[in-house]
Amino acid sequence: MKMKLRAAAVVSASALLLAGCSTGGDGGTGGDGGGLVGTGSGESCVIESPVKVGAALSLTGGAGSYGVSQQQGLELALAELNEAKGIEYKLSVEDDASEPRQGISVMEGFVGDGTSIVLGPTLSNTAVAAMPIATEASMPVMGISTTAGGITDIGDYVFRDSLTEAQVIPQTIDAVIDEYSLKKVVVMYSNDDAFTESGYEVMAEALEDTDVEVLDTLTFSKADTDFRSLLTAAKDKNPDAIVVSALIEAAIPLVTQARELGIDQPIVGGNGFNNPKLMADAGAAAEGVVVGAAWNSASDNAENQAFLTAYEEKFGAQPDQFAAQAYSALYLIDDAIRSTCSAERSDLRDSLAQLKDVATPLGAVTINKNRDAEHPAVVQIVKDGKFAVLR
Amino acid sequence: MQQLLNGLFIGSIYALFAIGFTLVFGILDRLNLAHPAVFAASAFVGIGLAEAFELSIWVILVLVFLFGAVLGLVIERVAFRPLKNRPDAHFAGLIASIAMAGMIVAVLQAFFGPQTRRFPEGTAPEGKVELFGASATYVQLAIVVICIGLVIALNVLVKRSSLGRSMRAVAENPTAARVLGINVDRVTAMTFSISSALGAVAGVLFALNVNSAQLGMGTAIELKGLAVIIVGGMGSLPGALVGGLVLGVAEVFAIQYIGSSWRDFIAFALLFVILLLMPQGIFGKRKVREV
């Protein structure tokens, strides 16, 4: 709520500021203009001028490790796309320092230099502050790791290819119900944390849409570490599974104690569980925990396998979800530009909004009417100490 | 039955935490709010030792007991002794101990980072026993035994040993104790030391029991510890044990029969009821405070 208010405040403040200096034009490309509309279409599309793509990433600061992953994902995609004929992409990566203020300056820089589209910022918090700058200048932006609610409400030029919890959790729950023929579950969540509470709301809503009976809903505090009495109460109801929205700090003792009390049913977690620490710290107790994710390295689609190999070859390490989403974003952009053979900002906005079933390492991506990406979530299960694909 | 056991186990942890708390309070009339930080620090130090040297849990408990004892001496020397002659020594000590707690946690964060930690697998004997159709882990049983054992040992110490006699004399009247030739500073330091050593043991057992140690683990249990010493009767050791068990069982039954959201409400409402019915707590003695 606070976040939304703030977003609204930022949007309206920038609207007021910019209303005075609006040019009344069609929100052109700024800078060098022309040249960005090419000839031909699809694979034969040729654009004369290089297409500038900006990226505002958290290369330093609190989210530094994510930003670096994203940068590597982008560099890989850039190298691959530039091998194809017709369009030359110029990527410029700027550091938003995990800070809203720096995010704004970076975005202002891109607005002024004729960049066609900007990827990022890395953090939702920074994105909420910086994206309105792009919207006001009619420059498309695409979030590649921002999952907070309300991001694409900032404006018509805001896209995102990172799945939100509201998209992942219902898919996870459907998959689990299917897989284990669930009839009745117990739901547990920490009710003193905004993230876990909103995760719980999505879970409750998703369960309501099914025939599964919720036997009980148990709450705890995010600082709790002893869950034995809650889990005993849950066990007494004899559920087919336990659905939990909790941060990783609570998830680990919760899972350990559940197994210790003889609860062998599947435990379904929200995004808070999507952390390798779960297996490292809960050990054998983590086996059978089910978590939804936007991407899993084990996904066997062809694009993903190619991505894994290429990434490993270039950087000598395994990619993570951040790299995968950044990599996929550049492919989505390429697909959109080629569909109309124009990298003009307003044309690109329109063509991005039309994207349908683009094959990426994330799966087949479609942009929905809220300009959020839709693609199948990967439902993971902990097996032999690793996340494996449930289906 | 399982729930009753759950309550007893949580209650023993509360009690173990509160015993150290109540010792300083009962004898010295000081509230040491660095106690929760000692609780967390010892858990992290215990984990550090277990990871570095692969020690058995018994060795770790002894080392952590010593670590806590030393930390207690430091807290007394830094946060309490310099302020002892001030007219507002109670309050000044309280605030100084909060500052001390903040510093301890900051040092912990610098050394161990903000992440949740746990004891490496195999530190404590794993496994569980079936009791009346409910299950209890070895760690939980050990907690109850250690908890009761420490209460008895402390009672003997306070009632029978010469240090205990000095402690009681100081508790009765520090000025008179000094006149009688008791080294009040030494008794004070020893009391803090024993108190923190107990808090340290409690921290390690707690971390083992829930498979998780966090920087804030002491803060999470602090209020419960205070409730326990008030319910049990301020300064009473058996009171801390009974108070801990009462609070633990009350929480569990609140979850089972009323609703999980009402757990803390019920637990703390119980505190009010006991204070209304028994203003001195279950085991408390009426104490006339001289001005």
Side-chain angles (χ1 to χ4, degrees), chain A residues 283-367:
Chain A
E287 295 291 307
V289 171
V290 178
V291 187
W295 177 78
N296 179 304
S297 64
S299 304
D300 53 5
N301 74 60
E303 288 74 22
N304 190 48
Q305 290 303 320
F307 165 65
L308 290 177
T309 319
Y311 192 95
E312 179 104 47
E313 206 167 279
K314 192 169 164 97
F315 300 108
Q318 287 283 320
D320 59 11
Q321 178 174 322
F322 294 91
Q325 286 173 331
Y327 176 91
S328 302
L330 215 50
Y331 271 87
L332 292 177
I333 290 166
D334 181 62
D335 205 281
I337 291 176
R338 285 181 185 279
S339 70
T340 55
C341 205
S342 164
E344 292 283 341
R345 288 174 177 178
S346 53
D347 294 339
L348 180 52
R349 192 222 83 88
D350 293 343
S351 52
L352 275 173
Q354 308 287 328
L355 284 187
K356 217 169 172 243
D357 289 332
V358 183
T360 73
L362 304 174
V365 175
T366 297
I367 300 290

Coordinates of all heavy atoms in Angstrom, one line a residue, chain A residues 283-367:
Chain A
G283 N 18.6 -29.7 5.3 CA 19.1 -31.0 5.0 C 18.0 -31.9 4.5 O 17.2 -31.5 3.6
A284 N 18.0 -33.1 5.0 CA 17.1 -34.1 4.5 C 15.6 -33.7 4.7 O 14.7 -34.2 3.9 CB 17.3 -35.5 5.2
A285 N 15.4 -32.9 5.7 CA 14.0 -32.5 5.9 C 13.4 -31.7 4.8 O 12.2 -31.6 4.6 CB 13.9 -31.6 7.2
A286 N 14.2 -31.1 3.9 CA 13.7 -30.3 2.8 C 13.2 -31.1 1.7 O 12.4 -30.7 0.8 CB 14.8 -29.4 2.3
E287 N 13.5 -32.4 1.7 CA 13.0 -33.3 0.6 C 11.5 -33.2 0.5 O 10.8 -33.3 1.5 CB 13.5 -34.8 0.9 CG 15.0 -35.0 0.9 CD 15.6 -34.9 -0.5 OE1 15.1 -35.5 -1.4 OE2 16.5 -34.1 -0.7
G288 N 11.0 -33.1 -0.7 CA 9.6 -33.1 -0.9 C 8.9 -31.7 -0.7 O 7.7 -31.6 -0.8
V289 N 9.8 -30.7 -0.5 CA 9.2 -29.3 -0.4 C 9.0 -28.8 -1.9 O 9.9 -29.0 -2.7 CB 10.2 -28.4 0.3 CG1 9.7 -26.9 0.2 CG2 10.2 -28.8 1.8
V290 N 7.8 -28.2 -2.1 CA 7.5 -27.8 -3.5 C 7.5 -26.3 -3.5 O 6.9 -25.6 -2.7 CB 6.2 -28.3 -3.9 CG1 5.8 -27.8 -5.3 CG2 6.1 -29.8 -3.9
V291 N 8.2 -25.7 -4.5 CA 8.3 -24.2 -4.6 C 8.2 -23.8 -6.1 O 8.8 -24.5 -7.0 CB 9.7 -23.7 -4.2 CG1 9.7 -22.2 -4.1 CG2 10.1 -24.3 -2.8
G292 N 7.4 -22.8 -6.3 CA 7.2 -22.3 -7.7 C 8.3 -21.3 -8.0 O 8.8 -20.6 -7.1
A293 N 8.7 -21.2 -9.3 CA 9.7 -20.3 -9.7 C 9.5 -19.8 -11.1 O 8.8 -20.5 -11.9 CB 11.1 -20.9 -9.5
A294 N 10.1 -18.7 -11.5 CA 9.9 -18.2 -12.8 C 10.8 -19.0 -13.8 O 10.6 -19.1 -15.0 CB 10.2 -16.7 -12.9
W295 N 11.9 -19.5 -13.2 CA 12.8 -20.2 -14.1 C 13.6 -21.3 -13.3 O 13.8 -21.1 -12.1 CB 13.8 -19.2 -14.7 CG 14.9 -19.8 -15.5 CD1 14.8 -20.2 -16.8 CD2 16.3 -20.1 -15.1 NE1 16.0 -20.7 -17.2 CE2 16.9 -20.7 -16.2 CE3 17.0 -19.9 -13.9 CZ2 18.3 -21.1 -16.2 CZ3 18.3 -20.3 -13.9 CH2 18.9 -20.9 -15.0
N296 N 13.8 -22.4 -13.9 CA 14.7 -23.4 -13.3 C 15.7 -23.9 -14.3 O 15.4 -24.1 -15.4 CB 13.8 -24.6 -12.8 CG 14.6 -25.7 -12.2 OD1 15.5 -26.2 -12.7 ND2 14.2 -26.0 -11.0
S297 N 16.9 -24.0 -13.8 CA 18.0 -24.4 -14.7 C 17.7 -25.7 -15.4 O 18.2 -26.0 -16.4 CB 19.3 -24.4 -14.0 OG 19.3 -25.4 -13.0
A298 N 16.9 -26.6 -14.7 CA 16.7 -27.9 -15.2 C 15.6 -27.9 -16.3 O 15.4 -29.0 -16.9 CB 16.3 -28.8 -14.1
S299 N 15.0 -26.8 -16.6 CA 13.9 -26.8 -17.6 C 14.5 -27.3 -18.9 O 15.6 -26.9 -19.3 CB 13.4 -25.4 -17.9 OG 12.9 -24.8 -16.7
D300 N 13.8 -28.2 -19.6 CA 14.4 -28.9 -20.7 C 14.1 -28.3 -22.1 O 14.3 -28.9 -23.1 CB 14.2 -30.4 -20.7 CG 12.7 -30.7 -20.6 OD1 11.9 -29.7 -20.7 OD2 12.3 -31.8 -20.5
N301 N 13.5 -27.1 -22.1 CA 13.2 -26.5 -23.5 C 14.5 -26.2 -24.2 O 15.5 -25.9 -23.6 CB 12.2 -25.4 -23.4 CG 12.7 -24.1 -22.9 OD1 13.7 -23.5 -23.5 ND2 12.2 -23.6 -21.8
A302 N 14.4 -26.2 -25.5 CA 15.7 -26.1 -26.3 C 16.4 -24.7 -26.1 O 17.6 -24.7 -26.0 CB 15.3 -26.2 -27.8
E303 N 15.6 -23.6 -26.0 CA 16.2 -22.3 -25.8 C 17.0 -22.3 -24.5 O 18.1 -21.7 -24.4 CB 15.1 -21.2 -25.8 CG 14.5 -20.9 -27.1 CD 13.6 -22.0 -27.6 OE1 13.1 -22.8 -26.7 OE2 13.4 -22.1 -28.8
N304 N 16.4 -22.9 -23.5 CA 17.1 -23.0 -22.2 C 18.4 -23.8 -22.2 O 19.4 -23.3 -21.7 CB 16.1 -23.5 -21.1 CG 16.7 -23.3 -19.7 OD1 17.1 -22.2 -19.4 ND2 16.7 -24.4 -18.9
Q305 N 18.3 -24.9 -22.9 CA 19.5 -25.7 -22.9 C 20.6 -25.0 -23.7 O 21.8 -25.0 -23.2 CB 19.2 -27.1 -23.6 CG 18.3 -28.0 -22.8 CD 18.9 -28.3 -21.4 OE1 20.1 -28.5 -21.3 NE2 18.1 -28.3 -20.4
A306 N 20.2 -24.3 -24.8 CA 21.2 -23.5 -25.5 C 21.8 -22.4 -24.7 O 23.0 -22.2 -24.7 CB 20.6 -23.0 -26.8
F307 N 20.9 -21.8 -23.9 CA 21.3 -20.7 -23.0 C 22.3 -21.2 -22.0 O 23.4 -20.6 -21.7 CB 20.1 -20.1 -22.4 CG 20.4 -19.2 -21.2 CD1 21.1 -18.0 -21.3 CD2 19.9 -19.5 -19.9 CE1 21.3 -17.2 -20.3 CE2 20.1 -18.7 -18.8 CZ 20.8 -17.5 -19.0
L308 N 22.0 -22.3 -21.4 CA 22.9 -22.9 -20.3 C 24.3 -23.2 -20.9 O 25.3 -22.8 -20.2 CB 22.3 -24.2 -19.8 CG 21.0 -24.1 -18.9 CD1 20.6 -25.5 -18.5 CD2 21.3 -23.3 -17.7
T309 N 24.3 -23.8 -22.0 CA 25.6 -24.1 -22.6 C 26.4 -22.9 -22.9 O 27.6 -22.8 -22.6 CB 25.4 -24.9 -23.9 OG1 24.3 -25.9 -23.7 CG2 26.6 -25.7 -24.3
A310 N 25.8 -21.9 -23.6 CA 26.5 -20.7 -24.0 C 26.9 -19.9 -22.8 O 28.1 -19.4 -22.8 CB 25.5 -19.9 -24.9
Y311 N 26.1 -19.9 -21.8 CA 26.5 -19.1 -20.6 C 27.7 -19.7 -19.9 O 28.7 -19.0 -19.6 CB 25.3 -19.0 -19.6 CG 25.5 -18.0 -18.5 CD1 24.9 -16.7 -18.6 CD2 26.2 -18.3 -17.4 CE1 25.1 -15.8 -17.6 CE2 26.3 -17.4 -16.3 CZ 25.8 -16.2 -16.5 OH 25.9 -15.2 -15.5
E312 N 27.6 -21.0 -19.8 CA 28.7 -21.7 -19.1 C 30.0 -21.5 -19.9 O 31.1 -21.3 -19.3 CB 28.3 -23.2 -19.1 CG 29.4 -24.1 -18.4 CD 29.0 -24.5 -17.0 OE1 27.8 -24.9 -16.8 OE2 29.9 -24.4 -16.1
E313 N 29.9 -21.5 -21.2 CA 31.1 -21.4 -22.1 C 31.7 -20.0 -21.9 O 32.9 -19.8 -21.9 CB 30.7 -21.6 -23.5 CG 31.8 -22.1 -24.4 CD 31.1 -22.6 -25.7 OE1 30.6 -23.7 -25.7 OE2 31.1 -21.8 -26.7
K314 N 30.8 -19.0 -21.9 CA 31.3 -17.6 -21.9 C 31.8 -17.2 -20.5 O 32.8 -16.5 -20.4 CB 30.2 -16.7 -22.3 CG 30.6 -15.2 -22.6 CD 29.5 -14.5 -23.3 CE 29.7 -13.0 -23.3 NZ 30.3 -12.5 -24.5
F315 N 31.1 -17.6 -19.4 CA 31.4 -17.1 -18.1 C 32.0 -18.2 -17.2 O 32.3 -17.9 -16.0 CB 30.2 -16.4 -17.5 CG 29.6 -15.3 -18.2 CD1 28.4 -15.4 -18.9 CD2 30.3 -14.1 -18.3 CE1 27.9 -14.3 -19.7 CE2 29.8 -13.0 -19.1 CZ 28.6 -13.2 -19.7
G316 N 32.0 -19.4 -17.6 CA 32.5 -20.5 -16.7 C 31.8 -20.7 -15.5 O 32.3 -21.1 -14.5
A317 N 30.5 -20.3 -15.5 CA 29.7 -20.5 -14.3 C 28.2 -20.8 -14.7 O 27.8 -20.5 -15.8 CB 29.7 -19.3 -13.4
Q318 N 27.4 -21.3 -13.8 CA 26.0 -21.6 -14.1 C 25.2 -20.3 -14.0 O 25.5 -19.5 -13.1 CB 25.5 -22.6 -13.0 CG 25.9 -24.0 -13.1 CD 25.2 -24.7 -14.3 OE1 24.0 -24.5 -14.4 NE2 25.9 -25.5 -15.0
P319 N 24.3 -20.0 -14.9 CA 23.5 -18.8 -14.8 C 22.5 -19.0 -13.7 O 22.1 -20.1 -13.3 CB 22.8 -18.8 -16.2 CG 22.7 -20.2 -16.6 CD 24.0 -20.8 -16.1
D320 N 21.9 -17.9 -13.2 CA 20.8 -17.9 -12.3 C 19.6 -17.3 -12.9 O 19.6 -16.9 -14.1 CB 21.2 -17.2 -11.0 CG 21.5 -15.7 -11.2 OD1 21.3 -15.2 -12.3 OD2 22.0 -15.1 -10.2
Q321 N 18.5 -17.2 -12.1 CA 17.2 -16.7 -12.7 C 17.4 -15.3 -13.2 O 16.8 -14.9 -14.2 CB 16.2 -16.7 -11.6 CG 14.8 -16.2 -12.0 CD 13.8 -16.4 -10.9 OE1 13.8 -17.4 -10.3 NE2 12.9 -15.4 -10.8
F322 N 18.2 -14.5 -12.6 CA 18.4 -13.1 -13.0 C 19.0 -13.0 -14.4 O 18.6 -12.2 -15.2 CB 19.2 -12.3 -12.0 CG 18.5 -12.2 -10.7 CD1 18.7 -13.2 -9.7 CD2 17.6 -11.2 -10.4 CE1 18.0 -13.1 -8.5 CE2 17.0 -11.1 -9.2 CZ 17.1 -12.0 -8.3
A323 N 20.0 -13.8 -14.6 CA 20.7 -13.9 -15.9 C 19.7 -14.4 -17.0 O 19.6 -13.8 -18.1 CB 21.9 -14.8 -15.9
A324 N 18.9 -15.4 -16.6 CA 17.9 -15.9 -17.6 C 16.9 -14.9 -18.0 O 16.5 -14.8 -19.2 CB 17.3 -17.2 -17.0
Q325 N 16.4 -14.1 -17.0 CA 15.4 -13.1 -17.3 C 15.9 -12.0 -18.1 O 15.3 -11.4 -19.0 CB 14.7 -12.6 -16.0 CG 13.8 -13.7 -15.4 CD 13.2 -13.3 -14.1 OE1 13.9 -12.6 -13.3 NE2 12.0 -13.8 -13.8
A326 N 17.2 -11.6 -17.8 CA 17.8 -10.5 -18.6 C 18.0 -10.9 -20.0 O 17.7 -10.2 -21.0 CB 19.1 -10.1 -17.9
Y327 N 18.6 -12.1 -20.1 CA 18.9 -12.7 -21.5 C 17.6 -12.8 -22.3 O 17.5 -12.3 -23.4 CB 19.5 -14.1 -21.3 CG 19.7 -14.9 -22.5 CD1 21.0 -14.9 -23.1 CD2 18.8 -15.8 -23.0 CE1 21.2 -15.6 -24.2 CE2 19.0 -16.6 -24.1 CZ 20.3 -16.5 -24.7 OH 20.5 -17.3 -25.8
S328 N 16.5 -13.3 -21.7 CA 15.3 -13.4 -22.4 C 14.7 -12.1 -22.8 O 14.1 -12.0 -23.9 CB 14.2 -14.2 -21.5 OG 14.7 -15.4 -21.1
A329 N 14.9 -11.1 -22.0 CA 14.3 -9.7 -22.3 C 14.9 -9.2 -23.6 O 14.1 -8.6 -24.4 CB 14.7 -8.8 -21.1
L330 N 16.2 -9.4 -23.8 CA 16.8 -8.9 -25.0 C 16.2 -9.6 -26.3 O 16.0 -9.0 -27.3 CB 18.3 -9.0 -25.0 CG 19.1 -7.9 -25.6 CD1 18.6 -6.5 -25.2 CD2 20.6 -8.0 -25.3
Y331 N 15.9 -10.9 -26.1 CA 15.3 -11.6 -27.2 C 13.9 -11.2 -27.5 O 13.4 -11.1 -28.6 CB 15.4 -13.1 -26.9 CG 16.6 -13.8 -27.4 CD1 17.8 -13.8 -26.7 CD2 16.7 -14.2 -28.8 CE1 19.0 -14.3 -27.2 CE2 17.9 -14.8 -29.3 CZ 19.0 -14.8 -28.5 OH 20.2 -15.3 -29.0
L332 N 13.2 -10.8 -26.4 CA 11.8 -10.3 -26.6 C 11.8 -9.0 -27.4 O 11.0 -8.8 -28.3 CB 11.1 -10.1 -25.2 CG 10.8 -11.3 -24.4 CD1 10.2 -10.9 -23.0 CD2 9.8 -12.2 -25.1
I333 N 12.8 -8.2 -27.0 CA 12.9 -6.9 -27.7 C 13.3 -7.1 -29.1 O 12.7 -6.4 -30.0 CB 14.0 -6.0 -26.9 CG1 13.4 -5.6 -25.6 CG2 14.4 -4.8 -27.8 CD1 14.5 -5.1 -24.6
D334 N 14.2 -8.0 -29.4 CA 14.6 -8.2 -30.8 C 13.4 -8.7 -31.6 O 13.1 -8.2 -32.7 CB 15.7 -9.3 -30.8 CG 16.2 -9.6 -32.2 OD1 16.7 -8.7 -32.9 OD2 16.0 -10.7 -32.7
D335 N 12.6 -9.6 -31.0 CA 11.4 -10.1 -31.7 C 10.4 -9.0 -32.0 O 9.9 -8.9 -33.1 CB 10.8 -11.2 -30.7 CG 9.9 -12.1 -31.5 OD1 8.8 -11.8 -31.9 OD2 10.4 -13.3 -31.8
A336 N 10.2 -8.1 -31.0 CA 9.3 -7.0 -31.2 C 9.8 -6.0 -32.3 O 9.0 -5.6 -33.1 CB 9.1 -6.2 -29.9
I337 N 11.1 -5.7 -32.2 CA 11.6 -4.8 -33.2 C 11.5 -5.4 -34.6 O 11.1 -4.7 -35.6 CB 13.1 -4.4 -32.9 CG1 13.2 -3.6 -31.6 CG2 13.7 -3.7 -34.1 CD1 14.6 -3.2 -31.2
R338 N 11.8 -6.6 -34.8 CA 11.8 -7.3 -36.1 C 10.3 -7.4 -36.6 O 10.1 -7.4 -37.8 CB 12.4 -8.6 -36.0 CG 13.9 -8.6 -36.0 CD 14.6 -9.9 -36.0 NE 16.0 -9.8 -35.8 CZ 16.9 -9.5 -36.8 NH1 16.4 -9.4 -38.0 NH2 18.2 -9.4 -36.6
S339 N 9.4 -7.5 -35.7 CA 8.0 -7.7 -36.1 C 7.5 -6.5 -36.9 O 6.7 -6.6 -37.9 CB 7.1 -8.0 -35.0 OG 6.9 -6.8 -34.2
T340 N 8.0 -5.2 -36.6 CA 7.5 -4.1 -37.4 C 8.7 -3.4 -38.1 O 8.6 -2.4 -38.8 CB 6.9 -3.0 -36.5 OG1 7.8 -2.7 -35.4 CG2 5.6 -3.5 -35.9
C341 N 9.9 -4.0 -37.8 CA 11.1 -3.5 -38.4 C 11.3 -2.0 -38.0 O 11.7 -1.2 -38.8 CB 11.2 -3.7 -39.9 SG 13.0 -3.7 -40.4
S342 N 11.0 -1.7 -36.8 CA 11.3 -0.3 -36.3 C 11.7 -0.3 -34.8 O 11.2 -1.1 -34.0 CB 10.0 0.5 -36.4 OG 10.1 1.7 -35.6
A343 N 12.7 0.5 -34.5 CA 13.2 0.6 -33.2 C 12.9 2.0 -32.6 O 13.4 2.4 -31.6 CB 14.7 0.3 -33.1
E344 N 11.9 2.7 -33.3 CA 11.4 3.9 -32.7 C 10.7 3.6 -31.4 O 10.0 2.6 -31.3 CB 10.4 4.6 -33.7 CG 11.0 5.1 -35.0 CD 11.7 6.4 -34.8 OE1 11.5 7.1 -33.8 OE2 12.6 6.7 -35.7
R345 N 10.8 4.5 -30.5 CA 10.3 4.2 -29.1 C 8.8 3.9 -29.2 O 8.4 2.9 -28.6 CB 10.5 5.4 -28.2 CG 12.0 5.6 -27.8 CD 12.2 6.8 -27.0 NE 13.5 6.9 -26.5 CZ 14.0 8.0 -25.9 NH1 13.2 9.0 -25.5 NH2 15.3 8.0 -25.5
S346 N 8.0 4.7 -29.9 CA 6.6 4.4 -29.8 C 6.2 3.2 -30.6 O 5.3 2.4 -30.2 CB 5.8 5.6 -30.3 OG 6.3 6.0 -31.6
D347 N 6.9 2.9 -31.7 CA 6.6 1.7 -32.5 C 7.0 0.4 -31.6 O 6.3 -0.6 -31.6 CB 7.5 1.6 -33.8 CG 7.0 2.7 -34.7 OD1 5.9 3.2 -34.6 OD2 7.8 3.1 -35.6
L348 N 8.1 0.6 -30.9 CA 8.6 -0.6 -30.1 C 7.6 -0.9 -29.0 O 7.3 -2.0 -28.7 CB 10.0 -0.2 -29.6 CG 10.6 -1.3 -28.7 CD1 10.7 -2.7 -29.3 CD2 12.1 -0.9 -28.3
R349 N 7.1 0.2 -28.4 CA 6.1 0.0 -27.4 C 4.9 -0.8 -27.9 O 4.5 -1.8 -27.3 CB 5.6 1.4 -26.8 CG 4.7 1.3 -25.6 CD 3.5 2.2 -25.6 NE 2.4 1.6 -26.3 CZ 1.5 0.8 -25.7 NH1 1.6 0.5 -24.4 NH2 0.5 0.2 -26.4
D350 N 4.4 -0.4 -29.1 CA 3.3 -1.1 -29.6 C 3.6 -2.5 -30.0 O 2.7 -3.4 -29.8 CB 2.8 -0.3 -30.9 CG 2.2 1.1 -30.5 OD1 1.9 1.3 -29.3 OD2 2.1 1.9 -31.4
S351 N 4.8 -2.7 -30.6 CA 5.1 -4.1 -31.0 C 5.3 -5.0 -29.8 O 5.0 -6.2 -29.8 CB 6.2 -4.2 -32.0 OG 7.3 -3.5 -31.5
L352 N 5.9 -4.4 -28.7 CA 6.1 -5.2 -27.5 C 4.8 -5.7 -26.9 O 4.6 -6.8 -26.5 CB 6.9 -4.4 -26.4 CG 8.4 -4.4 -26.5 CD1 8.9 -3.4 -25.5 CD2 9.0 -5.7 -26.2
A353 N 3.8 -4.8 -27.0 CA 2.5 -5.1 -26.4 C 1.8 -6.2 -27.1 O 0.9 -6.8 -26.6 CB 1.6 -3.8 -26.4
Q354 N 2.3 -6.5 -28.4 CA 1.7 -7.5 -29.2 C 2.4 -8.9 -29.1 O 1.9 -9.8 -29.7 CB 1.7 -7.1 -30.7 CG 1.2 -5.7 -31.0 CD -0.4 -5.7 -30.9 OE1 -1.0 -6.7 -31.2 NE2 -0.9 -4.6 -30.5
L355 N 3.5 -8.9 -28.4 CA 4.3 -10.2 -28.4 C 3.4 -11.4 -28.0 O 2.7 -11.3 -27.0 CB 5.5 -10.0 -27.5 CG 6.6 -9.2 -28.0 CD1 7.8 -9.3 -27.1 CD2 7.0 -9.6 -29.4
K356 N 3.7 -12.5 -28.7 CA 2.9 -13.7 -28.4 C 3.8 -14.9 -28.6 O 4.4 -15.0 -29.6 CB 1.7 -13.7 -29.3 CG 0.5 -14.3 -28.6 CD -0.8 -14.2 -29.4 CE -1.8 -14.9 -28.6 NZ -2.4 -16.0 -29.0
D357 N 3.8 -15.7 -27.6 CA 4.5 -17.0 -27.7 C 5.9 -16.9 -28.2 O 6.3 -17.7 -29.1 CB 3.7 -18.0 -28.5 CG 2.5 -18.5 -27.8 OD1 2.5 -18.5 -26.6 OD2 1.5 -18.8 -28.5
V358 N 6.7 -16.0 -27.7 CA 8.1 -15.9 -28.1 C 8.9 -17.0 -27.3 O 8.8 -17.0 -26.1 CB 8.7 -14.5 -27.8 CG1 10.1 -14.4 -28.3 CG2 7.8 -13.5 -28.4
A359 N 9.7 -17.8 -28.0 CA 10.4 -18.9 -27.4 C 11.6 -18.3 -26.7 O 12.5 -17.6 -27.3 CB 10.8 -19.9 -28.4
T360 N 11.8 -18.5 -25.4 CA 12.9 -18.0 -24.6 C 13.3 -19.1 -23.6 O 12.5 -20.0 -23.4 CB 12.6 -16.7 -23.8 OG1 11.7 -17.1 -22.7 CG2 11.9 -15.7 -24.7
P361 N 14.4 -18.9 -22.9 CA 14.8 -19.9 -21.9 C 13.7 -20.0 -20.8 O 13.6 -20.9 -20.0 CB 16.1 -19.3 -21.3 CG 16.7 -18.6 -22.4 CD 15.5 -18.0 -23.2
L362 N 12.9 -18.9 -20.6 CA 11.8 -18.9 -19.6 C 10.6 -19.8 -20.0 O 9.7 -20.0 -19.3 CB 11.4 -17.5 -19.3 CG 12.4 -16.5 -18.9 CD1 11.8 -15.1 -18.8 CD2 13.1 -16.9 -17.6
G363 N 10.6 -20.1 -21.3 CA 9.4 -20.8 -21.9 C 8.8 -19.8 -22.9 O 9.4 -18.8 -23.3
A364 N 7.6 -20.2 -23.4 CA 7.0 -19.3 -24.4 C 6.4 -18.1 -23.7 O 5.5 -18.2 -22.9 CB 5.9 -20.1 -25.2
V365 N 6.9 -16.9 -24.1 CA 6.5 -15.7 -23.4 C 5.4 -14.9 -24.2 O 5.6 -14.7 -25.4 CB 7.7 -14.8 -23.1 CG1 7.2 -13.4 -22.5 CG2 8.7 -15.5 -22.2
T366 N 4.3 -14.5 -23.5 CA 3.3 -13.7 -24.1 C 3.2 -12.4 -23.2 O 3.2 -12.6 -22.0 CB 2.0 -14.4 -24.2 OG1 2.1 -15.5 -25.1 CG2 0.9 -13.5 -24.8
I367 N 3.1 -11.3 -23.9 CA 2.9 -10.1 -23.1 C 1.3 -9.9 -23.0 O 0.6 -9.8 -24.0 CB 3.5 -8.8 -23.7 CG1 5.0 -9.0 -23.9 CG2 3.2 -7.6 -23.0 CD1 5.8 -9.0 -22.6

